[in-house]
Each structure stands twice: as C-alpha cells, then as structure tokens.
Amino acid sequence: MLCLRSATQDQWLARAIANTREILMDHAHCERKAATQALMLLGRFPDAEALVGPMLALAREELEHFEVVLALLRSRNWPLDSLIPSGYQAQLHAHCRKQMPGKLVDLLLVAALIEARSCERFKLLSEHHPDPELRAAFRDLLEAEARHHATFVRLAHNWADREVVRARLDELAHAEVVILEGMPPLARIHA
Ligand SMILES: [Fe+2]
Ligand SMILES: [Fe+2]
C-alpha cells in the first residue's frame, strides 16, 4: 500500500484496540505534530516557494484533525496526557541527509512515509475497531492522510529528478520497516 515496504502485523491492531485511550491520545499528538512540522519546514526553508501553499493548507487541515481527535477524547472523558514518544520519527529523521538539496528531499519523503503509515493503520482501525464512532472517524481521516502522502512525494520532485525521488523513497521505506521492527511494544500509531 502506498510506498510502504511492510504490512502492519495483527499484534499492532490488537494492542491498539486494547489501548484505545492511549492510541487516541497519541493520534491527537500526531495531528498536532504534523501541523507543527509543516510550519517548521516553512521556517527552515523560507526560500522554498513551492512549499508555502501546500504546507499552509496541510497545517490547517492537521489542526482540524487535532480538533476532531480532541473531541473524540473529550466525549469519552479521557483527558489528553503527554506520552513517551516511540522514537519512530526521530529515528526516521536520523536517516535524512544533511546537505541541500538532499536534506529537503529526505525530510519531505520521511513526512510522506509517516503519512503513509498513519493511513495504513487508520484503515485497519476503520475496519476492525469495535467502536462504530471511531471506525467512522478513522475512515474520514485516512483519505486525507493518503492525500498528504501524495503531496509530500510530489513536492520532493521540485528538488530531485523523478528517478532519484523514487529510489530514495524506496531506501527510506526499507529503513522505516527496520525502525518499526525495533520499536518497543507501545500503543502508538507509529510503534
Ligand atoms: Fe492528519
Ligand atoms: Fe496528514
């Protein structure tokens, strides 16, 4: 699915369903972080004109998602707490090159992979979670995350040829599989 090089295991789904509050809290943090990361890219690469429109739109949409997930938590009387991050994002970012233009290409492709993994896992939750309201919420969100994945890959083409983007995305997708395999068994969207 998308550019991913592995399918999520059944154990992840069972853990997510058994720890729904934690998964929703993590999901809320993911949406807020996605908005923050989009704005951070604009701050780090202020001359990258092609990023401006898509990142502003993405930040707005991720903030809307954040509100949706906060409402799901509130309606269940589950206050949002801070969570220990799984380390997934940090480990993916460690694979990014340090020099331009590879640096920006990699940051965009890592963002694309994070969106792809969210999308894949939201699909599982939209099909298998016992709570119909949550199934519907995940179904609504997964379409947007698939679109965000495509946006990040498309943007990378501004700084690298098509073949280079394809090869690098594949390398990073393989790294993502290794990172996931080494994750602690936490109830997180990306663990
Ligand atoms: Fe989102
Ligand atoms: Fe997204």
Side-chain angles (χ1 to χ4, degrees):
M1 180 196 191
L2 305 156
C3 57
L4 299 173
R5 287 289 166 259
S6 72
T8 288
Q9 307 284 308
D10 292 345
Q11 298 97 295
W12 178 85
L13 182 61
R15 193 162 61 236
I17 291 172
N19 297 279
T20 296
R21 183 192 168 196
E22 212 172 326
I23 277 290
L24 279 184
M25 287 198 299
D26 183 53
H27 183 182
H29 289 303
C30 285
E31 300 290 5
R32 178 187 47 74
K33 276 189 255 175
T36 308
Q37 295 277 352
L39 297 179
M40 200 196 63
L41 280 174
L42 295 185
R44 285 179 72 182
F45 306 95
D47 57 342
E49 185 61 34
L51 292 182
V52 178
M55 287 303 101
L56 285 176
L58 190 130
R60 281 192 206 101
E61 200 174 5
E62 301 293 23
L63 283 179
E64 280 172 21
H65 295 173
F66 180 43
E67 268 192 302
V68 166
V69 185
L70 283 180
L72 291 169
L73 281 162
R74 267 195 212 110
S75 67
R76 286 161 180 75
N77 289 316
W78 289 340
L80 179 61
D81 259 340
S82 50
L83 289 174
I84 301 164
S86 68
Y88 170 87
Q89 282 215 24
Q91 288 188 50
L92 268 175
H93 280 135
H95 283 268
C96 292
R97 287 169 286 175
K98 303 286 180 266
Q99 303 297 322
M100 281 295 279
K103 178 177 168 176
L104 179 51
V105 169
D106 286 3
L107 285 169
L108 291 168
L109 296 181
V110 160
L113 279 165
I114 295 170
E115 296 280 0
R117 190 57 77 183
S118 301
C119 180
E120 187 229 12
R121 292 187 165 179
F122 290 177
K123 183 160 192 300
L124 288 173
L125 290 166
S126 77
E127 289 167 353
H128 301 288
H129 200 287
D131 180 331
E133 189 190 20
L134 293 184
R135 282 203 304 277
F138 284 115
R139 200 163 45 242
D140 284 348
L141 291 169
L142 76 90
E143 171 274 328
E145 309 310 354
R147 186 160 34 75
H148 297 165
H149 161 79
T151 297
F152 281 116
V153 175
R154 179 172 50 74
L155 284 173
H157 293 111
N158 287 289
W159 291 277
D161 292 341
R162 189 156 293 275
E163 281 312 306
V164 173
V165 168
R166 194 203 312 254
R168 187 61 183 148
L169 184 56
D170 203 45
E171 276 175 18
L172 289 168
H174 280 101
E176 194 257 1
V177 171
V178 175
I179 290 167
L180 270 187
E181 282 169 359
M183 285 285 106
L186 294 169
R188 301 284 186 276
I189 300 292
H190 304 99

